[in-house]
Amino acid sequence: MKKILLLTLSGILALTLLTGCGKKGVEGSVATDGSTSMEKVIGSLGESFTGENKDVKFTYNPTGSGSGITAVSEDRCDIGLSSRNLKDEEKNKGLEETVLALDGIAIIVSPDNDVKDLSTEDIAKIYKGEITNWKDVGGKDAEIVVIGREAGSGTRDGFESITKTENSCKYRQELTSTGDVITTVAGNPDAIGYASLASVNKNVKTLKVNGVNPSEKTVKDGSYVIQRPFVIVTKTDKKLSKAAQAFFDYITSKDASEIISKAGAVPVK
């Protein structure tokens, strides 16, 4: 009996020592700013991270890619969020990009629209105002209402560069967030828009592009051609705080891949 009690006490002591040696959760705050398209992905990652680190305050400010890049450059946030690659002039200012995931840019219409598939050439012609009626691409006789994002949006930059429509789009409306584009297109049976595949909901219909449905699989294998990176932006000459570094390490690890995938994007890990 004495021997059993001794072994039990030894086991409790060993467990206590192991618990004491465990890694303590980080403390502090992590401020992110930028791409509205990354809201679901970064929100899910932030929720998971703070669930494991109760003493960390996480914030996300959805201002758009350009604003997020400026915010990290001006030290107004820890980590910037961009749905496009950094430009050379931004890198020359001491900014560094890390690709977190890939995202398809879905071409969206109202569920009441009969069109199911468009070529990249037809999409370009629609946005440049060369095709103005849905009947010319297999739809009903109705004027096409062209919806897009504001200048500085990473989604707009990605869409226009891939479709080769830079500085030539004839937008009816230029909206300031992914959510606004989805809501506007959903409410207009004659509208067309583009939005992050990770953010698309059942209120709109995604079109095939060149016969290919937008999906995690087709983005990953490259067969869905309208896609772009989700990028996290930091400064090369400024060390992140302990909390921000821990968050950075977490979201770029393999452990975050499933969360990124469930949020609708394609993890690069």
Side-chain angles (χ1 to χ4, degrees):
M1 183 71 180
K2 197 170 185 180
K3 187 177 181 180
I4 293 172
L5 182 59
L6 208 57
L7 287 171
T8 303
L9 289 172
S10 298
I12 292 171
L13 181 60
L15 183 61
T16 303
L17 289 170
L18 284 171
T19 304
C21 292
K23 186 178 179 181
K24 184 181 177 182
V26 294
E27 301 175 353
S29 63
V30 182
T32 65
D33 191 310
S35 172
T36 63
S37 299
M38 292 176 68
E39 180 175 5
K40 188 181 291 186
V41 169
I42 208 70
S44 297
L45 291 169
E47 183 178 355
S48 177
F49 179 75
T50 53
E52 297 178 9
N53 299 274
K54 304 293 186 182
D55 295 322
V56 173
K57 180 183 178 183
F58 172 82
T59 58
Y60 159 65
N61 192 20
T63 58
S65 296
S67 296
I69 292 167
T70 300
V72 73
S73 178
E74 296 178 350
D75 295 324
R76 290 187 282 110
C77 70
D78 298 302
I79 295 172
L81 308 170
S82 175
S83 50
R84 64 165 173 82
N85 290 115
L86 290 179
K87 299 174 182 177
D88 288 340
E89 57 264 34
E90 292 165 339
K91 292 179 181 178
N92 292 337
K93 291 179 180 178
L95 297 181
E96 182 177 15
E97 67 177 41
T98 303
V99 178
L100 180 68
L102 300 175
D103 179 53
I105 300 176
I107 308 304
I108 58 173
V109 295
S110 163
D112 297 327
N113 194 314
D114 294 332
V115 173
K116 297 179 180 178
D117 191 352
L118 290 174
S119 67
T120 48
E121 182 181 4
D122 283 342
I123 293 167
K125 287 181 177 180
I126 287 171
Y127 271 84
K128 290 192 291 185
E130 296 171 8
I131 294 176
T132 59
N133 196 298
W134 281 111
K135 68 180 181 179
D136 296 326
V137 287
K140 64 180 181 180
D141 185 3
E143 181 185 2
I144 301 173
V145 178
V146 178
I147 307 296
R149 290 290 306 277
E150 82 287 4
S153 157
T155 309
R156 173 167 167 169
D157 183 88
F159 171 81
E160 292 186 355
S161 63
I162 293 164
T163 57
K164 296 180 173 56
T165 56
E166 300 100 322
N167 304 315
S168 59
C169 288
K170 310 295 183 184
Y171 292 109
R172 177 76 64 87
Q173 286 182 273
E174 297 178 42
L175 304 174
T176 58
S177 76
T178 296
D180 287 343
V181 171
I182 292 171
T183 299
T184 301
V185 172
N188 188 334
D190 300 326
I192 187 171
Y194 50 79
S196 165
L197 181 58
S199 300
V200 168
N201 57 39
K202 63 182 180 181
N203 296 324
V204 292
K205 182 174 77 174
T206 60
L207 300 183
K208 292 180 180 179
V209 175
N210 301 329
V212 179
N213 272 314
S215 69
E216 180 176 341
K217 180 179 181 296
T218 58
V219 170
K220 192 171 186 176
D221 66 22
S223 58
Y224 185 78
V225 295
I226 305 182
Q227 58 171 276
R228 42 67 188 279
F230 277 168
V231 171
I232 48 179
V233 184
T234 52
K235 296 183 78 172
T236 56
D237 62 351
K238 182 182 178 182
K239 187 177 180 180
L240 291 172
S241 68
K242 185 177 179 181
Q245 186 63 59
F247 179 69
F248 181 95
D249 293 342
Y250 174 71
I251 65 177
T252 56
S253 71
K254 288 184 178 179
D255 293 339
S257 295
E258 186 176 352
I259 296 169
I260 293 170
S261 184
K262 284 183 177 179
V266 180
V268 296
K269 289 288 185 181

